[in-house]
Amino acid sequence: MQNIKLVHRSIIRLSSSRIYQDPASCRSAVRKYSDEAVQKLVMDFAKKFRAKGPSTTPATICVVGAGVAGLRCADILLQRGFDVTILEGRDRIGGRVTQATLPSGHLADLGANWIHGTESNPILDLARETNTPTHDWGEGFNIFDEDGKLLEDGKSLNDTMWGIIVQAFKHSADNTATIDPRESLYDFFLEKVQEIFPSQDESGEREIMMQMTEMWGAFVGSPVQTQSLKFFWLEECIDGENLFCAGTYHKILERIAKPALAGAKVRLSTKVTSVETRSDKVTVRTKNEHSFEFDEIVITCPLGWLQKNKAVFHPSLPSRFSQAIDNIGYGTLEKVYITFPRAFWLGSNENPDETPHTGFMQWIAPSYTTSTNPERWNQEVVDLATLPGNCAHPTLLFYLYGAQSVSFSRDLSSMTSQIERDTYLINFFKPYYSLLPHFNDSSKDCTPLQCLATTWVSDDLAGNGSYTTIRTGVQQADRDIEIMREGLPGRSVWFAGEHTAPFVALGTVTGAYWSGEDVAKRIARSYGGDGVGVFDEGEGKGVENERAKE
């Protein structure tokens, strides 16, 4: 889940909304499922419940994946005295939370770079603890129409669009049982836009508004035409503001990872190829031909990875569980950072603009770029030159999603040099940033120093995508998420990640953090613990990290 230009309080009362009841239900041990095989594995949970009391031999737990969910899970398990091993396929920790250095010397988040919601959000707490600056651009917003002209009433139209989004949240929550699974958020917009602009004289406003709706895709990583209306309520996030992580997630990730790196055995560059459950043990085999045996395993791999690697599990996953994995969508979002010598769009230091172009800027359905953008994909950028203090740098951050992100990732992955990639990106984006104030083609200030683009779509370990989204056609999305969240405790196989998070935090770093914490506590309870001191104090702590190389 990425940027959303909306600050709101929940439009659904906390006492009655499933989305706010869900965090408590996450901790429920047993539910009734329609698939008998899943139900049996869940009920077997009771049979393998460990005896209470201290033990001199801590249970061994494997955590697959050293992203936020895996690191937080390991932290809680270590606190409870378990012997924890983390297997990570990359040569680094962090998963979809990682950074790179721009020509300006500033770090840039390649993955998550927003904190969604400010009320009771542990990630915001960690940002404050680590002195990581955050930012909100407030009312900064500009829209260019299909002819490249700046819309004078862009802010008003944007406010109208988000008003419809709020209505859609409420409509979805109130009517989820009766909404046709085939209905999309786009269908809802068509109806509401016609109501708001009913006359023939307002056809222009209707067309612009429907073009603007396409930008919802930058939030969920999928086109608005495939955004489920029936389960749109699952896209609502924690109350409060949505803040840009101006200081990047670097220090936040360090803080989350510190306990796991200090207390667990960490094996990097170790790709899991087989998870076999037999008797009371789980056998894990890796691509580098290592074999491990554990009491329990927690899979924190991305949803997209699970969808493509179900054959890893032996015996096969129960059909309903496998179906749940396939039913939930996995969005694609890429980022392109374009850094300039100076933020020319803000004016000069001697003559700065009184009302500079700051915050979000959008180019909707551009008709003037037929050679580079025949699909007329909308473009969205956020200005990083107005970040607070020394976080500011003369960079424009473009967001790409859906078909455009797939196309860009495919093209960029085939290019071998930075010059080739920069030329490709500048040729594509120049028609848009050249419409910003003070652009002068002959000025060095308007010539990019370098571009940096992500290619998550080509990243197998990221599941060839970015995060969870709920698409049209799904009939029981909430149940599908609950089934994945419950995991297969009777088989000693547990799952965590943003796709198993509480509904209010699906697709977010906060959701990944909560999911790892929750599954670790459930494992501790299965061994008779109440959350503290399951095993003798000191067991499972301070294990030296290992780095297994292919």
Side-chain angles (χ1 to χ4, degrees):
M1 184 175 290
Q2 265 305 330
N3 55 302
I4 179 170
K5 192 66 187 76
L6 176 66
V7 177
H8 71 286
R9 298 292 170 182
S10 176
I11 47 85
I12 310 166
R13 294 188 64 83
L14 305 190
S15 60
S16 60
S17 171
R18 281 199 63 193
I19 202 165
Y20 285 98
Q21 294 169 358
D22 180 63
S25 71
C26 287
R27 292 160 175 78
S28 175
V30 178
R31 297 183 183 87
K32 184 68 176 177
Y33 295 110
S34 56
D35 187 285
E36 291 183 2
V38 175
Q39 183 63 25
K40 181 179 184 300
L41 286 166
V42 172
M43 295 308 294
D44 282 348
F45 176 69
K47 297 180 181 178
K48 64 189 291 297
F49 198 91
R50 312 303 187 190
K52 291 185 178 182
S55 168
T56 56
T57 306
T60 56
I61 315 292
C62 175
V63 176
V64 180
V68 169
L71 294 169
R72 181 56 175 166
C73 178
D75 179 6
I76 298 298
L77 289 170
L78 289 165
Q79 291 179 36
R80 272 59 174 176
F82 290 96
D83 181 348
V84 180
T85 297
I86 300 175
L87 303 181
E88 167 55 51
R90 303 182 190 276
D91 60 0
R92 60 167 179 81
I93 65 167
R96 286 165 283 172
V97 176
T98 185
Q99 295 79 34
T101 303
L102 297 173
S104 63
H106 288 81
L107 281 180
D109 279 315
L110 301 184
N113 55 13
W114 290 82
I115 298 175
H116 294 281
T118 52
E119 293 196 5
S120 302
N121 189 330
I123 300 302
L124 181 58
D125 294 339
L126 289 171
R128 290 166 175 160
E129 289 174 18
T130 57
N131 296 315
T132 297
T134 60
H135 187 62
D136 173 21
W137 282 274
E139 300 300 316
F141 188 81
N142 293 281
I143 306 176
F144 295 84
D145 69 10
E146 62 181 22
D147 297 319
K149 298 177 182 177
L150 184 65
L151 291 175
E152 294 183 2
D153 59 347
K155 183 183 181 302
S156 174
L157 290 170
N158 186 61
D159 290 343
T160 299
M161 186 187 75
W162 286 111
I164 297 174
I165 289 287
V166 172
Q167 291 181 57
F169 276 133
K170 189 174 190 311
H171 173 74
S172 177
D174 291 346
N175 302 282
T176 187
T178 57
I179 295 174
D180 189 322
R182 295 170 296 182
E183 283 194 70
S184 70
L185 179 61
Y186 189 81
D187 296 327
F188 187 84
F189 261 101
L190 278 173
E191 177 184 336
K192 295 301 176 183
V193 169
Q194 183 63 46
E195 291 177 5
I196 296 170
F197 304 106
S199 71
Q200 184 63 34
D201 294 340
E202 296 173 306
S203 60
E205 286 85 348
R206 287 197 299 272
E207 182 180 10
I208 291 172
M209 183 61 65
M210 293 311 299
Q211 291 170 341
M212 289 176 62
T213 66
E214 299 284 347
M215 293 316 303
W216 176 256
F219 181 47
V220 296
S222 282
V224 66
Q225 291 87 349
T226 61
Q227 169 72 67
S228 170
L229 181 62
K230 183 179 182 71
F231 291 104
F232 187 55
W233 59 273
L234 288 174
E235 301 290 357
E236 190 180 9
C237 57
I238 299 169
D239 276 0
E241 298 172 292
N242 293 279
L243 302 176
F244 188 82
C245 199
T248 78
Y249 265 91
H250 178 68
K251 290 182 180 180
I252 297 172
L253 178 62
E254 281 188 342
R255 177 64 61 87
I256 293 171
K258 185 176 180 180
L261 296 180
K265 294 181 282 290
V266 181
R267 301 180 68 90
L268 301 178
S269 301
T270 303
K271 298 177 181 178
V272 171
T273 58
S274 174
V275 176
E276 181 180 353
T277 305
R278 52 185 176 78
S279 302
D280 286 334
K281 292 292 182 179
V282 179
T283 301
V284 180
R285 295 181 176 84
T286 67
K287 188 176 181 179
N288 45 15
E289 299 183 352
H290 289 169
S291 180
F292 306 90
E293 196 171 76
F294 301 98
D295 294 309
E296 314 282 341
I297 188 169
V298 182
I299 308 294
T300 71
C301 305
L303 175 63
W305 186 93
L306 289 175
Q307 291 170 341
K308 298 183 178 184
N309 290 276
K310 288 183 286 185
V312 162
F313 298 93
H314 306 282
S316 299
L317 297 172
S319 60
R320 181 64 183 93
F321 196 95
S322 178
Q323 188 180 71
I325 291 173
D326 289 336
N327 285 347
I328 302 302
Y330 195 57
T332 57
L333 187 90
E334 303 294 355
K335 299 176 177 66
V336 177
Y337 291 88
I338 303 181
T339 300
F340 296 85
R342 185 178 64 81
F344 66 85
W345 56 92
L346 299 181
S348 64
N349 292 331
E350 295 77 17
N351 298 294
D353 286 352
E354 291 185 11
T355 56
H357 274 49
T358 63
F360 288 88
M361 291 167 272
Q362 294 180 355
W363 294 263
I364 57 175
S367 62
Y368 46 91
T369 55
T370 54
S371 62
T372 56
N373 185 8
E375 302 293 335
R376 299 180 65 180
W377 288 315
N378 285 15
Q379 304 302 316
E380 181 176 42
V381 73
V382 66
D383 149 54
L384 305 185
T386 50
L387 292 176
N390 59 12
C391 295
H393 48 102
T395 300
L396 296 173
L397 167 56
F398 285 85
Y399 289 102
L400 321 177
Y401 70 91
Q404 184 181 8
S405 65
V406 173
S407 175
F408 264 58
S409 185
R410 181 188 62 240
D411 291 347
L412 289 168
S413 295
S414 68
M415 298 175 186
T416 57
S417 72
Q418 182 65 46
I419 293 176
E420 187 179 9
R421 287 190 290 270
D422 283 355
T423 300
Y424 172 86
L425 293 168
I426 291 170
N427 285 342
F428 185 89
F429 289 107
K430 185 177 179 179
Y432 310 111
Y433 65 70
S434 64
L435 296 176
L436 296 179
H438 312 295
F439 179 82
N440 182 343
D441 207 8
S442 62
S443 171
K444 291 183 178 180
D445 288 340
C446 302
T447 302
L449 295 173
Q450 189 174 322
C451 305
L452 174 65
T454 64
T455 54
W456 293 108
V457 172
S458 301
D459 189 330
D460 291 338
L461 291 176
N464 305 106
S466 302
Y467 42 74
T468 296
T469 184
I470 312 300
R471 293 178 178 156
T472 51
V474 65
Q475 299 190 33
Q476 293 183 304
D478 49 350
R479 299 295 291 151
D480 293 326
I481 292 164
E482 289 172 345
I483 286 171
M484 289 191 289
R485 181 192 296 159
E486 184 61 45
L488 303 171
R491 193 187 281 189
S492 301
V493 180
W494 311 73
F495 293 82
E498 49 86 12
H499 53 288
T500 70
F503 295 151
V504 76
L506 286 171
T508 69
V509 176
T510 303
Y513 184 90
W514 272 340
S515 73
E517 180 178 283
D518 180 65
V519 77
K521 290 179 179 178
R522 289 172 55 216
I523 291 172
R525 287 198 296 272
S526 80
Y527 280 79
D530 59 0
V532 180
V534 179
F535 301 104
D536 287 344
E537 185 177 357
E539 293 291 339
K541 300 294 181 84
V543 183
E544 182 179 357
N545 294 336
E546 299 177 13
R547 293 176 181 254
K549 298 300 178 184
E550 301 246 8

